[in-house]
Structure formats: C-alpha cells, structure tokens
Amino acid sequence: MNQERKRLDPRRPFVLSPAGLRRIILGATGGFDASLLAAPAYKPAPKPLRLKGDPAGYLLVAAHSQRGMLDAHAHQAIAAAALLASPQQAVVVLVFGSLNEDLRAYGADLVAVLPGADELGFAPEQELAWLCEFVTRYAPAHVFMPDNEIGDGDLGRRLAIHLGAEVATHVVELKPGAVAMYWQGGAALARGLMPLVVLIAPDVAETSLPFSGAGETVAPPAAQAPPGRYQNRGLREIAASALALEEADFIVAAGNGVADIPTLEAVAAAFGAAVGASRVAVDEGKFTRDKQIGATGKTVSASTYLAVGISGAVQHLQGIKACRHVIAINSDASAPITKRADLSVVGDAQEVMSALLAELAQRNLPDTARESV
Amino acid sequence: MMFPQLKIAALVSVGRNPASGAPRAARNDVLALDAALALAPEVSVLHAGDAAPALHDYLAYGAASVEVLPLPAGADALAPLAARVAGYDLILCGQRAEAGQGSGTLPYRLAKALNMPVVSAALEITLLGDIVEIVQFLPKGQRRVVRVSLPAVIALHPLAPRAPRYVYARLRAGRLLSAPALVAAPLPVSPWQSEPAVKKPQKLKPPETRQGHARLLGAIATESKGGALVREGSAAEKARAILDYLRTNRLIEF
C-alpha cells in the first residue's frame, strides 16, 4: 500500500517569483536547478505596442509636470487617451515643465517636453499659444487634460473658449465617443458625445495597461505669444509646518520606533516639513490626534513622506497611498514599509536622525530652517 | 482700501445645499460678493435667471440690492450678463456654480466676450491703482501672486479667507430688482442628457484579453515595488543616502 502511493519530490524544480515566493514548475522532474534561481522565469514580458503602423490620427494630452514628474491624475489622462484611441491613432503628450520619467507605460506614443515652461509660473497666453500650435500641428480628435488646480484645468478652459469648441469639465466617466459628468452638485449625471476638449476628474481611468506606447520624443512647440496681460509675481510659500497635514507637501512621520520627539521635530523643521504620526505614537500620547495618519486618521498626499520608526501596518499604508516618494528609516529590514518605500534605511532611528541633523547643519540651509537646527 | 470710483460687479447664482438639495446662496458667490464689498462701497450684484427666494440670502450677506436679469429656464446666461457688465472695471464671481452644470467656464467665456483678462482660483484681491493683484490658490500650501490691469474678470476659489456675515436686518432692508434684459438669451440647445445620479460612474479599464495561464502568471508576478534598501554603513552614510535621494528627485532645494 505504502509503496503504491505517489510521492511528491520535495526538491522538484522551482523558480522564485519577484515577490520571493517559491513556484514549482509544473510537469518538470529532476532535482533543483540553481541556474533557474539566477534568472527568474517570471520576468514580466515586454508589453506589445498599442499603435499599429503609421498613425492616421492623433489624440492630444497636455499636462503640467511638477519636479520633473507628472502626477497620478496626469497619468490617468494619458492612459485614458491610450485606452480610447483606435489602433491607428497615436497619443501625443505635451508636458509643460521638465520631465524625468518614462511615459510609455501609460501609453504615450509621442512626447513633447517644454522644460522652459515655468512649473509654477503663470503664463496662460504663452501656454495657450504652445497648445494651439500642437492642436494645429496634429489636428487631434480630442484633447484630454486633467481638471486640476496646478494649471491644467485653467488652460483647458482657455483652450476650449479660444477655439470656440465644446468642452466637458470634471468628466467622471469616459467611454468610446461619450463622456459623463456630474451636474447639480452631484445629484444628476449628464451624458453626451465626447467634445473636443475633455477635462477629466481624478480616477476615471486605470493606469496599468496591457500595452505600451511608442514613447518617441518630438519637437516641442515653438510659438511665441506677444507680451501678455498677465504679470507673474512669483510664489508665496507657506511653511509646511503651518499647513494641515492633508495639504502638506513634505511630511516627517514618527512611529513606535521614535523615542526622542524633539529630535524628530528638529528634523522636520530642518526640511520645512509637517509632522505626522502613526496610530501607536498617537495612542501613547506623544502626538495629538490631529497628527494621526492612516485609516482612522488623515489621508495625506505629500510628495515626500519620511517615515521614521514606522513598521507600516496596512492601515497606515492606506493613509499614505497618494504619497509620491516614501523614505523609511526602520530597524527592521523586513517591515512592510520597506515594500512600500522608495528608499529604506535600516538602522536605529535615533542615530540616523541625529546624523541627518548633523549633515543638514553643514549644508547651505534656507534662513528659516537654519535657526531651528 | 475703498475705491468708490470703480465699477465693480459681483455675479451671483442660486446655490444648492449638498446634503438636502435646498436652494441657497452659492458659497463661492458669497465669497465673491464679500470680496467685492471690501473693494468698493457700491457693488452691482447681478443674477441671470428667475427671482428665486434664495437670492435674498445675498442681501443678508451685504448686497444692497440684487438685480435679476430674466432668463428662460436652461438658457445660456452669457449674453445677457455680458451685455449688462460691459464697461465695468472688475467682475467677480465664484469659481464654480453649485447648481446647474457647474462647469466653471462662465468666467472664461465672459472674459472672452468682453476681451478682458481672466484669473481664477483667486484667494485675495488687492487693487493697486489700475492694476489688480491676485493671490491664487495652488495645492500643497503654495500661493501664486499674479497682476493684471483693469478691467478684469476674477473667479474666487472656495478657500478664499473671507468671513462673510449673515445679517437678517440687511435681508429685510434690501430688495430684488428685476431689470429688463438688454440682449435676449439664445434658446437652450444642450447636447447633454441629464439623468439622476444613482449609479457610480464606471472606471475606464483595458479589456481583459489574456487567457487563463497568462492571467495566472500576471497574478503571481505581483508588483512588489520595494525600492532601494540601505543596510550597511554608518549612520552618517545612511543620512547621506537619504539626502542624496531627496536631491536626486529634487525634493529639497539645498
């Protein structure tokens, strides 16, 4: 009886998935092959190109970048255009500001970058001239822009009014040839044919696509608008520490691993950052409840999130979903936050914070930050 | 500072309580009215549409009277408003209406019709002679200062730091004036079909074309993003790694 039972070989061939899980190779026999470990079989295959042949038409996406990157909202606009484009239509992306990221994954076929466009400057006439040049050059079937407050919503409306074209704003649903948006403050949903200018609300399109864009660089528009009626007088920045956490762009957050709160606050002051905390630190009474970040606290959308001594419970990660750059300082290299973080530093939080302060003290700090170091 | 010689108009609409749906003074337009009253003692408060009872709220918020330009239901308010405010120095309104389409395009269309500059997302408005300085809202705690010369159209951001006061005595003292429209509004031809918003909007997703095996492989290869890991080195080196990351991504300026 015993001899007839089919035995599974515990050392049958397997490969490691990118997540580090062991996956057996079905049907394969024999011993463990070490060469498979070196080259994991589950390397994601390059995605096929969406565009087939020479483009017969175009869809235009325009968005402002910040610090050389487009935000998730702009990525969704590009992905929406790529999903709606026919196989012969190319997606042209015009980026106002510099660009240091690859937009192929979002389906961009032609990319033009205007690094000269001041990222947070205000030159609507010049930007409109550039955008109009692209509309003339490519004659796009539709122009997609994120309806945001960093300039795209404003520019999109100006474009539509300038061209005398129909515009759909705050679009919450996109379908081939049709759009839907809320009216009456959200009580009614209005549907209609897709107009020339489409300003989309956040989260209307999925950004993980089964295809890739060609990602060719094209010459940016060169139009020069005559001296305009708008005079940009620069930015007025509010210190991050004076802002509500939801609006802060740089957050230094403390968790259970931080004992020395004054040092943490000094680090935050040196970066001009707001201070946040995990639930554990708040429960211990180290911080007030309004500093709590996570499922039961606040949801933040800072560009930079420095997590000190935070292990990264799911509830906490939920609150920092929208953060662009997450840096973790943690003594445990296998804490869940290292999976989320773009840079994880394994070490004692207190030592690393003190070293950071020492390092910052030598640097050429802005005057406001120097006093607090 | 008051500028009595300036002709300032505040455009107001009938708002909608987001919870109950009851008509009320639109919050953004109240801010526009309050900002206008801070600049000049006499402000023309204009509304295109029916003389709705909710307009009395604007009287309580400081309007001496509200001028109602008749408009057929659903018609475009641009033509009568543009005809009425031609010749004004400063036209203020809320950035987005609470009722109706709420597309936020009216200030732009009005500015185009009157050939004026338009600035939206205004938080503070200061007059410097015939130049107006506007502090604009930007996300992440940033504010931008923009100057335009008069005349101009300015749309106020919902977060404008103003505290309009509701005074019932002013509501009793003020009046709604109905004025004849200078220009007939064109009949409504809307390409949109509106329905009650009951269903959640659908997110645009790529069609699933992969076969079972490919889908399984996709499910196995989860995106474990996990960035760089710095284990070795002294605390100072680790601190430098953090600063290098911040500098590479232009997250700090020093």
Side-chain angles (χ1 to χ4, degrees):
Chain A
M1 184 80 185
N2 242 357
Q3 284 159 342
E4 285 171 33
R5 182 184 287 171
K6 203 176 172 192
R7 307 284 303 225
L8 281 176
D9 178 9
R11 292 181 191 78
R12 68 211 127 127
F14 68 89
V15 290
L16 285 180
S17 76
L21 298 174
R22 206 209 262 208
R23 299 286 173 196
I24 57 164
I25 301 169
L26 290 177
T29 51
F32 164 68
D33 184 1
S35 67
L36 284 172
L37 260 190
Y42 296 116
K43 212 172 175 181
K47 290 176 177 171
L49 279 187
R50 184 192 57 80
L51 188 63
K52 304 277 181 276
D54 284 335
Y58 296 93
L59 295 180
L60 178 60
V61 183
H64 284 75
S65 71
Q66 282 192 311
R67 297 198 169 98
M69 287 179 135
L70 293 176
D71 58 4
H73 195 172
H75 290 158
Q76 287 155 11
I78 301 171
L83 284 169
L84 292 169
S86 71
Q88 286 78 38
Q89 267 178 328
V91 175
V92 188
V93 180
L94 178 61
V95 180
F96 296 96
S98 56
L99 185 74
N100 305 326
E101 65 174 332
D102 193 357
L103 297 179
R104 275 181 295 186
Y106 305 106
D109 295 314
L110 304 173
V111 181
V113 183
L114 283 159
D118 188 3
E119 287 179 9
L120 293 166
F122 190 65
E125 287 155 328
Q126 177 62 62
E127 290 183 354
L128 188 60
W130 283 329
L131 193 52
C132 285
E133 187 187 326
F134 252 47
V135 171
T136 322
R137 196 197 288 180
Y138 291 104
H142 303 287
V143 181
F144 294 91
M145 294 176 81
D147 202 350
N148 60 20
E149 291 188 302
I150 57 169
D152 300 319
D154 182 68
L155 187 60
R157 286 176 176 80
R158 284 178 200 271
L159 174 74
I161 307 307
H162 177 78
L163 299 175
E166 273 283 332
V167 54
T169 64
H170 305 283
V171 169
V172 290
E173 190 177 284
L174 286 164
K175 280 185 179 155
V179 294
M181 58 225 180
Y182 283 124
W183 279 8
Q184 306 291 351
L189 193 67
R191 294 179 186 280
L193 294 178
M194 188 176 283
L196 176 69
V197 182
V198 184
L199 304 179
I200 66 162
D203 287 330
V204 295
E206 181 73 46
T207 49
S208 62
L209 305 177
F211 49 75
S212 147
E216 284 171 37
T217 308
V218 290
Q224 283 294 325
R229 300 184 282 188
Y230 303 92
Q231 203 186 339
N232 186 22
R233 304 283 293 178
L235 287 183
R236 199 182 278 175
E237 243 173 277
I238 303 174
S241 45
L243 280 173
L245 275 177
E246 293 94 328
E247 221 194 319
D249 196 32
F250 197 137
I251 296 175
V252 176
N256 199 24
V258 180
D260 185 6
I261 306 299
T263 313
L264 180 105
E265 280 169 349
V267 170
F271 285 123
V275 175
S278 73
R279 185 195 54 81
V280 187
V282 172
D283 279 358
E284 281 180 352
K286 290 175 182 164
F287 296 93
T288 50
R289 189 60 69 185
D290 64 318
K291 301 276 185 222
Q292 185 180 331
I293 295 168
T296 44
K298 290 181 170 176
T299 306
V300 296
S301 57
S303 301
T304 322
Y305 187 79
L306 180 60
V308 188
I310 293 179
S311 64
V314 180
Q315 291 86 344
H316 188 79
L317 297 182
Q318 206 178 327
I320 60 169
K321 213 184 245 174
C323 290
R324 197 62 197 268
H325 300 275
V326 176
I327 303 172
I329 304 175
N330 208 308
S331 53
D332 179 6
S334 60
I337 189 106
T338 52
K339 285 249 165 35
R340 169 68 178 86
D342 302 282
L343 173 72
S344 307
V345 170
V346 183
D348 182 61
Q350 181 64 38
E351 283 173 18
V352 178
M353 280 198 298
S354 307
L356 255 181
L357 279 179
E359 197 75 21
L360 285 170
Q362 298 168 12
R363 302 290 162 168
N364 186 17
L365 289 186
D367 291 340
T368 45
R370 189 185 293 279
E371 290 155 21
S372 49
V373 175
Chain B
M1 212 184 356
M2 287 282 183
F3 294 83
Q5 73 282 8
L6 285 183
K7 283 179 83 177
I8 299 183
L11 311 185
V12 299
S13 64
V14 177
R16 184 181 179 283
N17 186 307
S20 68
R24 63 168 188 185
R27 203 183 163 278
N28 296 356
D29 294 340
V30 172
L31 295 173
L33 171 66
D34 199 53
L37 289 168
L39 296 171
E42 295 235 343
V43 173
S44 305
V45 184
L46 308 172
H47 169 75
D50 290 332
L55 291 174
H56 286 96
D57 285 351
Y58 291 107
L59 302 173
Y61 281 116
S65 61
V66 177
E67 202 177 313
V68 181
L69 309 171
L71 190 72
D76 189 3
L78 178 68
L81 279 178
R84 177 66 183 79
V85 296
Y88 274 72
D89 296 305
L90 197 57
I91 299 147
L92 302 182
C93 60
Q95 190 172 304
R96 193 182 172 189
E98 288 174 2
Q101 298 196 6
S103 67
T105 49
L106 182 78
Y108 296 89
R109 296 169 62 213
L110 197 59
K112 166 93 173 168
L114 299 168
N115 191 23
M116 289 181 185
V118 54
V119 179
S120 68
L123 293 174
E124 294 160 39
I125 301 167
T126 322
L127 280 170
L128 315 156
D130 59 350
I131 287 176
V132 59
E133 185 173 279
I134 300 128
V135 178
Q136 261 189 322
F137 174 86
L138 284 178
K140 315 261 185 200
Q142 278 169 321
R143 306 288 179 257
R144 180 164 59 199
V145 184
V146 172
R147 281 185 185 179
V148 288
S149 55
L150 294 176
V153 180
I154 297 172
L156 266 93
H157 191 268
L159 293 180
R162 308 209 65 87
R165 289 183 62 206
Y166 187 99
V167 180
Y168 183 67
R170 290 200 294 232
L171 184 147
R172 301 292 300 175
R175 278 181 313 140
L176 298 191
L177 308 170
S178 65
L182 299 172
V183 179
L187 281 173
V189 206
S190 175
W192 308 104
Q193 263 115 45
S194 140
E195 61 189 42
V198 270
K199 271 196 274 180
K200 244 180 102 181
Q202 280 179 341
K203 198 170 180 177
L204 184 65
K205 281 183 184 155
E208 184 62 80
T209 52
R210 291 177 300 174
Q211 294 299 308
H213 183 63
R215 280 215 305 276
L216 178 73
L217 285 184
I220 292 169
T222 46
E223 287 177 41
S224 75
K225 201 172 139 238
L229 198 65
V230 181
R231 275 170 194 275
E232 311 299 326
S234 64
E237 279 166 8
K238 288 171 181 168
R240 241 168 275 143
I242 293 178
L243 288 177
D244 286 345
Y245 179 87
L246 292 172
R247 288 203 186 97
T248 322
N249 291 286
R250 292 171 58 205
L251 299 166
I252 49 175
E253 308 280 321
F254 46 89

